[in-house]
Each structure stands twice: as structure tokens, then as C-alpha cells.
Amino acid sequence: MKKKGILRALSAVVVLGSALILTACGGKKADSGSSNLPKASYKVSKDTPAWKSDKSKMTTLTWFVKEEWWNKDYGKDYITKQIKKDLNVNIKFVTGDDTKLNTYFASGNMPDMITIDDPNSKVARTANTWAYSLQDLATKYDPYFYKVAQKDTLNWYKIKGQTYGYPNYSNTPADYKSGKILPRDAFIIRQDVKDAIGDQDFTTPEGFVKGMKAIKEKFPNLIPFGFNDFSGGNSSLENVVQDMLGVPITKNGKYYDRDLDPDYIKWLNAFREVHADGNISDDSFTDDSNAFKEKVANGKYATMMMGSDVNQGTDLQNFATKHPGAEYLAINGIQSTVGREPTLSQAGISGWLINYISNKSKNPAKAIQVFEYLLSNKGQMLTNFGEKGKMYTQAADGTVTRTAFAKKVQLEEPTKWQKQYRIGEFILFGHDRYKALNKDSYVKAVWQMQDWGKKYLKPQFVIENIAPDPGTQEARALSAIQTNWSTTMVSMIRAKDKSEFDSALAKYKKFQKENSIEAINKTRDANIVANKKKLNMK
């Protein structure tokens, strides 16, 4: 099967990348270099951001971002022009992959700042060997940092009592309690399809299979059931469906294997029946992200198990704009057969992209000022909404409204919006609570989906970053198990009958046992205990 080859190739790339980084980080002593920090050239105050006091000449910092898509322009758009002006800093952005990062480590010629995307990586877990402690830098150069950084996030990323990295989109327990964090997943259906097929119960496996048949009869040119592409892992058919079913993440304080949950397995069998009826396209298992996005934009799926609707927002909006009355909306579907409510997840406390200041930085004082500025209310309002008055207004309750001018530019001149203003794009320290101040931070096509899922949001902090340490035998075994599950799940859905479905599942369970799943789960359990301690949970 084509998918199997793709997954094997992906696994090989991951292993190779890990090996490079392991080589780069190995053998170094834990020394952040903080003992050699020079004195600040300005008056340091806990009540005043350091950038306001620092009158030194223009400084240039190099910032490596391990994302090829990152916009490297600086000082050309309104956002980065203002950052440059306020901080008197010029930033040279460099992008690349693990190989590029490995080259930096091998040469010792490190950038001033580094952004990576995996808190489980060897690079992240050994940050105390190559990065400055943020506490050391903040205390010496910019104690105002403690006013804008989240204490829970700092505690979460501590290594031996010090924090070296700070992520974007790190949602803390307080953020979840605030009600400002919005869901991103939903079972959605085209409005015109819903109207045409009458009452259908998509909440039970039996009703789901029947509903897909009804769609096929009325809309033979549509794909009755779709799901996110597999290019980033197991699509929305794994954790997103499990969240919809409210499958637990732990049981009795220990790691729970959600992939083997009986309720989830029952639904995988329902998907097998849907596939057997010809109502799941085999292309869905091999489509890349571009092919999936194109089908979303053209409304080719009658229904979808949609994961991360915001990331598909442009395509959902394009379809809704061109086909009024046929737009996608969230409904109750794919629900637990044992009475559990959905437990939808969002970005957790680990966040997404993690930012560091290397201990080879030419100007660590200016680097921590950049971190503090971007985390502050001033920096967040600037990067999310632009210039106050011209681009947005803010009410007494904090809610933000874009001006008529801003709306006109965004809708009618999208290239100008991106290149001249860059609003909402400079996200290296972005946060959901600021995006939530303005409903227009998200396209209109996802508003109803977000409203539908609000009541089901539940954090999954305790199972973040619980995998075995990279490079260990357990980590290699877990990688093999995850790759095996990817192909097994697809095989189960494409099985010709229930017997073949059960056989594929049995082989997977055997593979798990042969690859030290018990030892892996012991490590996971220990890390869950450690996570609870970080979060002050019992």
C-alpha cells in the first residue's frame, strides 16, 4: 500500500534527524554560560521593561527558526518596523531543518536565538548545555520579564530548577478556566447535505453507517466521509476521534492506551463498514495536505472529521463564500457508545514552537528584551492587531474590533495585509488568549464550530511529553510501535470483513508486547507523576 511506504520513509527521516541532533548535543557538560554574563549597560528595574531604559546603539541578532515556512523579512512590514524601532534591534532570521541546526551545534557558531518545534527532542531536553537560563538573564538584565511570562509555563520547562525555553501558544490551567481558549476540532457536515438527507443519527456507529448511505444516494458525486490527511501522522481518525468519544487519557493515575479502547475500536469498525460501502475514498489515505485542502475548498466531502479547523479556515471560508447555504457546520456526531462526553483538546502547556537564547549569544541582554517585549501586552497587541486607532479599537472589557480600514485591507488587499502589515503572522510568542479578544482573528467559517465545542474543552497536560528519552531503546521501540499502528489502523478500516479487522488488531497487540510496551508504559507513568508535580496536581 502506498501509505505504508510513505510512513516508513517518514519514520526513517525522523530517525536520521534524531541521530544528527543526538550527535550535535552529545558529550557536552551542563554549562549555560551564565556565570560569565557582563553587567547591564542601563539601569535595571523590575517595574520598567529594559528596552525602555537601554539606550545602546542598534544591535543585530541572528534568530534561527526551524520552520522553512517562516517569513524571514524583518523591518519591511509595520509589525517588525515597530519592533526594530522600540527595541533598537535588527534581526536576521535564518530558517532550516534538523541538518541546519546540527551544523550550528557542530561548528559552535551558534545563532543568538533558536526556535524549535519539539519539546521531546534531545535538543530541548538538553537545553541547559547550550542555552542561557531565562531566569539568569531576566534577573540580570530584564526583571520585568517575570511580569509577562507565565509562571506555570516557566515551571513546566524547567531543567534542574532553571528554564531555558519559552513556547508560543502555551495554554495554562488558568487559560482553560478563563473560557477564552477555543476548540479546534469538530464533526462537520455541509448545510445543503444536512437539509437534503433528513433526520440522520450520526452519533452511533449504526446510525453513522446508515447516514453515509443516505448521503451517497442523494449526492453521488460527493465523498460521504472525509478526514484530515495523513501527512502529519494519523490524521483526525486517531486522537481527534478519541477526544470526540471522551476516551480517557489516564486510568487510576496511569497511562491509558487510547488506541485500544473498546469504544474507539467499535467506531473504527464502523469506519470499516463505511469504507466497505464505498463511502470512504481510498485516496483519503494517500492524499497529501495540498490535495486535502483542495477538496475542502471545493466542498468535495459531504461530512468530515475535522481536526484543527482553524488551519483549514481559509479553505472552509472560500467554499462558504462561493456556496452560500452549503457551508460546513458542526453537529453532534461520532459520540461515545458508553455515555462519555467529548473531551476536546487544544494547545497544551507545552505550546508549539519553543524559543531559546543560546549561550553563544553576542548580546544576551538584548535577546531577553526581545522575549520580554513579545510576551508583554504591548508586544502581543502589536503582533496580533497592529496599530491602535488605525487598525483596531479596544473596549473597556478588553475586546478588540478591527477598524473599517483594516477590514477593507484584509478582505480586498490580502497581499498588502500580509506584506505591508503582517498582522497576526508574527507568532513566535503568540497566545490564544490574545487572539480570543477579537472574533475576526478566525475566519467566519469556523465560528459556529468553535461555539459548538466550547463546552467540551478539557486540557490533557498530564500526558504531554511523557515519551521515553530520545535515543533510548524504549524510544526506538515506541517509534516502531507508532509506525506499526499507523499502518494497522488503515488496514483495519480497509479490511474486507470483521475477521480481517480483528486479525489486524491482534497482530498489532502482539507487536506491542514484542516491542517492550510494558517498559514504555512504566516510563510514561513515571513522567505522568512528574507532570502532576509540576502542575501541583494530586
Side-chain angles (χ1 to χ4, degrees):
M1 185 167 45
K2 182 179 178 183
K3 175 64 199 161
K4 195 170 186 177
I6 291 172
L7 285 165
R8 282 177 175 169
L10 179 61
S11 177
V13 169
V14 170
V15 170
L16 177 59
S18 298
L20 287 168
I21 297 302
L22 284 171
T23 301
C25 295
K28 294 183 180 180
K29 294 180 180 179
D31 177 17
S32 70
S34 59
S35 60
N36 299 318
L37 289 171
K39 291 182 179 180
S41 61
Y42 49 86
K43 184 179 179 180
V44 174
S45 169
K46 65 179 182 180
D47 298 316
T48 304
W51 61 268
K52 289 187 175 182
S53 303
D54 186 359
K55 304 302 180 183
S56 58
K57 64 181 181 179
M58 179 69 70
T59 301
T60 297
L61 297 176
T62 302
W63 194 337
F64 173 77
V65 179
K66 198 176 82 70
E67 300 292 343
E68 297 284 5
W69 48 262
W70 178 251
N71 182 351
K72 294 183 288 186
D73 286 343
Y74 183 83
K76 298 178 181 179
D77 55 85
Y78 175 78
I79 302 297
T80 58
K81 277 182 182 177
Q82 193 63 40
I83 295 171
K84 184 175 183 177
K85 178 183 176 183
D86 286 342
L87 274 72
N88 207 24
V89 63
N90 187 48
I91 296 174
K92 178 184 177 183
F93 280 109
V94 181
T95 59
D97 55 12
D98 282 337
T99 302
K100 178 73 172 179
L101 187 56
N102 181 67
T103 301
Y104 280 126
F105 280 112
S107 68
N109 184 23
M110 299 283 284
D112 296 283
M113 297 177 285
I114 291 177
T115 297
I116 63 172
D117 59 2
D118 184 4
N120 289 308
S121 67
K122 187 73 172 179
V123 170
R125 295 191 179 190
T126 61
N128 59 317
T129 68
W130 60 268
Y132 277 121
S133 153
L134 297 182
Q135 285 89 348
D136 286 345
L137 295 184
T139 300
K140 194 169 189 75
Y141 298 122
D142 196 355
Y144 195 81
F145 174 83
Y146 294 117
K147 291 183 181 290
V148 300
Q150 296 295 305
K151 185 177 180 180
D152 284 336
T153 301
L154 288 173
N155 286 341
W156 185 257
Y157 271 95
K158 276 185 177 178
I159 300 174
K160 297 179 180 179
Q162 297 289 303
T163 308
Y164 298 87
Y166 199 97
N168 66 350
Y169 298 107
S170 171
N171 292 319
T172 66
D175 289 321
Y176 270 86
K177 289 177 183 176
S178 73
K180 293 180 179 178
I181 306 302
L182 299 174
R184 60 190 178 191
D185 308 324
F187 175 69
I188 62 177
I189 186 170
R190 278 178 43 162
Q191 178 72 65
D192 56 339
V193 171
K194 183 176 182 292
D195 293 341
I197 62 176
D199 289 336
Q200 299 291 334
D201 182 9
F202 291 104
T203 66
T204 67
E206 299 79 14
F208 191 85
V209 175
K210 179 174 174 287
M212 294 302 150
K213 290 179 179 178
I215 290 172
K216 193 66 173 179
E217 287 181 17
K218 292 276 188 179
F219 298 89
N221 294 323
L222 295 183
I223 301 168
F225 180 51
F227 36 84
N228 295 67
D229 61 279
F230 279 71
S231 58
N234 277 339
S235 179
S236 48
L237 292 182
E238 188 180 20
N239 64 301
V240 177
V241 169
Q242 291 163 359
D243 289 345
M244 283 289 162
L245 303 179
V247 177
I249 57 176
T250 61
K251 275 196 173 181
N252 300 318
K254 295 183 180 296
Y255 176 81
Y256 181 66
D257 192 341
R258 303 176 94 204
D259 294 340
L260 299 182
D261 179 76
D263 198 16
Y264 175 58
I265 297 300
K266 188 178 293 186
W267 270 97
L268 287 184
N269 187 56
F271 299 154
R272 179 193 64 78
E273 293 184 46
V274 173
H275 177 266
D277 290 336
N279 295 328
I280 291 177
S281 169
D282 278 331
D283 288 342
S284 294
F285 298 111
T286 54
D287 279 346
D288 61 16
S289 60
N290 290 330
F292 172 69
K293 289 168 71 68
E294 183 179 350
K295 287 175 180 175
V296 173
N298 291 322
K300 288 294 292 181
Y301 303 109
T303 71
M304 279 185 278
M305 183 67 265
M306 173 60 77
S308 197
D309 50 26
V310 172
N311 289 348
Q312 314 302 328
T314 300
D315 301 305
L316 290 167
Q317 188 63 55
N318 284 341
F319 178 73
T321 301
K322 294 176 183 176
H323 304 277
E327 59 273 7
Y328 287 97
L329 70 156
I331 62 170
N332 293 331
I334 309 184
Q335 295 191 352
S336 174
T337 64
V338 293
R340 297 182 299 219
E341 278 201 340
T343 53
L344 304 185
S345 62
Q346 237 289 13
I349 197 166
S350 298
W352 172 25
L353 303 173
I354 313 110
N355 306 287
Y356 300 87
I357 298 171
S358 81
N359 58 21
K360 303 293 185 182
S361 175
K362 296 180 292 296
N363 195 326
K366 186 61 68 176
I368 192 66
Q369 289 174 29
V370 172
F371 277 38
E372 178 265 300
Y373 179 93
L374 292 174
L375 280 172
S376 71
N377 185 70
K378 179 178 178 63
Q380 290 288 334
M381 295 303 291
L382 170 69
T383 53
N384 279 288
F385 307 115
E387 181 181 358
K388 190 172 184 178
K390 182 178 181 179
M391 306 304 288
Y392 75 94
T393 58
Q394 190 168 22
D397 64 357
T399 55
V400 169
T401 302
R402 285 196 176 133
T403 62
F405 170 78
K407 289 180 179 179
K408 180 177 173 64
V409 174
Q410 184 183 25
L411 291 174
E412 298 179 10
E413 300 178 90
T415 301
K416 183 178 180 180
W417 177 261
Q418 181 184 31
K419 292 189 175 182
Q420 187 169 324
Y421 294 102
R422 205 174 176 178
I423 293 171
E425 184 193 316
F426 200 91
I427 57 169
L428 297 178
F429 283 88
H431 201 286
D432 286 315
R433 66 178 172 275
Y434 278 91
K435 289 177 71 70
L437 294 176
N438 176 243
K439 207 169 181 65
D440 288 328
S441 295
Y442 308 97
V443 296
K444 190 175 181 180
V446 305
W447 290 0
Q448 183 271 343
M449 300 173 196
Q450 292 174 327
D451 289 339
W452 174 87
K454 278 182 182 178
K455 59 183 175 293
Y456 299 125
L457 265 183
K458 187 176 180 180
Q460 298 181 359
F461 300 144
V462 296
I463 61 168
E464 292 184 39
N465 308 336
I466 62 171
D469 286 341
T472 62
Q473 185 175 345
E474 289 175 0
R476 290 189 288 272
L478 179 57
S479 177
I481 289 171
Q482 291 171 332
T483 299
N484 187 279
W485 172 249
S486 297
T487 55
T488 296
M489 186 185 65
V490 173
S491 296
M492 290 167 68
I493 295 173
R494 299 184 69 199
K496 66 177 183 292
D497 54 33
K498 184 62 163 57
S499 176
E500 188 175 300
F501 177 95
D502 292 339
S503 176
L505 181 59
K507 288 179 181 177
Y508 171 70
K509 290 179 179 179
K510 184 173 182 288
F511 186 87
Q512 272 193 323
K513 290 181 180 179
E514 292 172 347
N515 284 270
S516 310
I517 191 63
E518 290 185 5
I520 292 168
N521 286 340
K522 283 182 180 179
T523 297
R524 285 165 160 168
D525 292 342
N527 288 337
I528 286 171
V529 172
N531 282 350
K532 287 182 177 180
K533 186 176 180 180
K534 289 181 186 178
L535 296 164
N536 293 317
M537 294 172 60
K538 293 182 179 179

